[in-house]
Amino acid sequence: MPAALKAMEVEDMDDVVLREVPCAGSVERWEVLHAFRQGAEGVLLVGCLLENCAHHYGNEIAGRRAETLERTLVDLGLSPGKVVLVHLAEHQPHRFRQAVEAMRATVRSTSEEEK
Amino acid sequence: MIIAERKPLTEVLEMLDGSGEITVLGCRSCTAICLAGGEKEAKEMSEALSLHSELKGKGWSVRPITVERACEKEFILPLQGVKGTVLSLACGVGAQVVQEMFPMLQVLPGVNTSNMGAPEGIGVFVEKCAGCGDCILHLTAGICPIARCAKSLLNGPCGGSQNGKCEVSPDTACAWDQIVRSLTTQGRLDLLERNIPPKDWRPSRSGGPRRTVNVEAMPGDSQKAWRDTE
Ligand code: SF4
Ligand code: SF4
């Protein structure tokens, strides 16, 4: 969360909605699908650096969920790349920014195909 | 417990084509434990179907309902008033009980139900019992050769047993190897000398659906009627 907030301080990110969770591994698949129904064009799951997980394997769970969700979303009719897990630490707002930019690019390049 | 796994989403979407009102039924018993159809999975399926409908203009109205146990009529009363299609994430038993209780609904299977088993590790479920109706676990150190031996041998092991594995796959333990080890641990290896005779398969799947009756539990009149027929 601090990395995202810092990134958002220096750059306008009106298109990003932050949702705070206790651990990336606590995000359920239905919640991600619900975010798409609420209008999200892509979902970034932002977890701590691998092996830094306070809950030991929350990060791994999030990784496996992201893979399942990727397949689900494609089956449902969306293009690939709409759910991405990124790992970063508090002092790495640049990584958050990069992930947002990459997601924006994915959304731009695929929004036409989905119509 | 009953083991099931989710059907591929594409198959489910195809099944639902032409539906209007869809209720995704979750069950908090067996299919919740094997992660195929509990409350979370029902919510997820409901969100997924709604999203698909919104993306593709299907016009579905979807909601999840999760019950304690879909295979008992008393527990599926929350489905009263439901219309249209029910996508059941409960096992095949639950799906049929719901269909029987609510004949006007179209109950569709959202999972493939396969066996009676137990969790072996996190996310791994293994078949343990084939419901043969004539249990011989007392002769096999509590390990079922009907369900767990690829050939359902009663007097194994066969020649394909290698280093504790079954010849059908290096990932499959040889049930008879396990039986011999277990009998050794228990000091009952002499049981291996005992020939297990050909099994009585009549209580198995031969005569259509099996009916199990506990006369004691039957209410007065029906108990009397049942006793009179015996
Ligand atoms: S012997 Fe029959 S009843 Fe006993 S565990 Fe095996 S399949 Fe089930
Ligand atoms: S190797 Fe073991 S489990 Fe496999 S068929 Fe032979 S006795 Fe049965």
Side-chain angles (χ1 to χ4, degrees):
Chain A
M1 192 74 175
L5 289 174
K6 267 182 233 156
M8 292 172 91
E9 264 171 30
V10 287
E11 189 193 319
D12 190 19
M13 288 195 185
D14 282 351
D15 55 344
V16 175
V17 178
L18 275 188
R19 208 189 122 199
E20 192 175 15
V21 292
C23 170
S26 73
V27 181
E28 297 288 352
R29 291 192 299 256
W30 71 266
E31 295 178 281
V32 176
L33 294 169
H34 192 64
F36 280 97
R37 288 190 60 213
Q38 287 180 317
E41 289 175 294
V43 173
L44 283 177
L45 290 170
V46 184
C48 300
L49 293 175
L50 275 173
E51 292 163 14
N52 264 6
C53 182
H55 304 104
H56 303 288
Y57 41 72
N59 255 330
E60 292 168 36
I61 292 175
R64 290 196 294 267
R65 283 205 183 126
E67 278 172 31
T68 308
L69 278 163
E70 169 84 6
R71 286 195 298 273
T72 301
L73 289 169
V74 170
D75 284 347
L76 294 176
L78 287 172
S79 334
K82 297 291 173 72
V83 178
V84 173
L85 172 68
V86 278
H87 299 286
L88 49 79
E90 284 191 16
H91 66 283
Q92 294 178 314
H94 60 284
R95 278 213 192 191
F96 181 76
R97 220 164 27 242
Q98 282 166 357
V100 170
E101 271 156 24
M103 181 57 84
R104 280 180 185 140
T106 305
V107 168
R108 261 197 311 273
S109 71
T110 58
S111 56
E112 276 309 304
E113 294 168 23
E114 283 163 12
K115 278 178 190 155
Chain B
M1 61 185 273
I2 291 178
I3 312 292
E5 59 187 341
R6 292 199 277 179
K7 275 187 179 290
L9 189 52
T10 45
E11 190 184 331
V12 172
L13 295 176
E14 204 182 307
M15 247 189 259
L16 288 168
D17 219 18
S19 304
E21 209 170 300
I22 301 170
T23 302
V24 180
L25 171 69
C27 177
R28 287 197 189 90
S29 297
C30 303
T31 56
I33 305 302
C34 61
L35 311 174
E39 189 155 16
K40 279 185 195 172
E41 290 78 17
K43 260 182 167 173
E44 180 188 3
M45 180 60 86
S46 174
E47 291 293 340
L49 297 179
S50 301
L51 180 59
H52 182 71
S53 172
E54 285 151 27
L55 286 169
K56 304 288 174 191
K58 297 273 178 188
W60 297 340
S61 128
V62 193
R63 66 168 172 153
I65 292 183
T66 302
V67 298
E68 283 311 307
R69 196 148 56 240
C71 57
E72 284 189 59
K73 291 179 179 166
E74 293 82 347
F75 288 102
I76 53 177
L77 292 177
L79 287 172
Q80 254 168 350
V82 161
K83 290 191 186 63
T85 306
V86 170
L87 178 71
S88 165
L89 303 188
C91 71
V93 182
Q96 292 184 58
V97 173
V98 170
Q99 184 66 86
E100 211 175 301
M101 270 284 269
F102 304 104
M104 295 307 288
L105 293 176
Q106 195 187 349
V107 182
L108 309 179
V111 297
N112 290 325
T113 306
S114 63
N115 64 78
M116 286 181 274
E120 192 181 68
I122 299 176
V124 181
F125 306 91
V126 179
E127 181 166 16
K128 298 284 189 202
C129 170
C132 75
D134 177 27
C135 196
I136 51 161
L137 284 176
H138 57 299
L139 301 175
T140 56
I143 292 160
C144 173
I146 308 298
R148 295 166 67 178
C149 163
K151 296 171 187 155
S152 296
L153 293 179
L154 291 176
N155 297 283
C158 74
S161 179
Q162 298 289 324
N163 306 318
K165 299 295 179 194
C166 171
E167 64 180 338
V168 298
S169 153
D171 297 330
T172 305
C174 165
W176 272 99
D177 181 86
Q178 291 176 312
I179 291 169
V180 171
R181 282 174 205 281
S182 184
L183 286 173
T184 309
T185 306
Q186 295 174 10
R188 296 163 70 211
L189 207 50
D190 57 301
L191 266 183
L192 264 195
E193 300 284 334
R194 184 161 156 188
N195 184 38
I196 302 180
K199 206 163 158 51
D200 179 1
W201 287 103
R202 280 172 302 177
S204 184
R205 282 284 305 123
S206 61
R210 287 169 278 180
R211 164 183 282 220
T212 307
V213 177
N214 184 331
V215 181
E216 187 100 15
M218 292 172 103
D221 286 351
S222 49
Q223 185 178 130
K224 190 175 170 306
W226 180 269
R227 283 195 199 280
D228 287 348
T229 62
E230 277 191 327

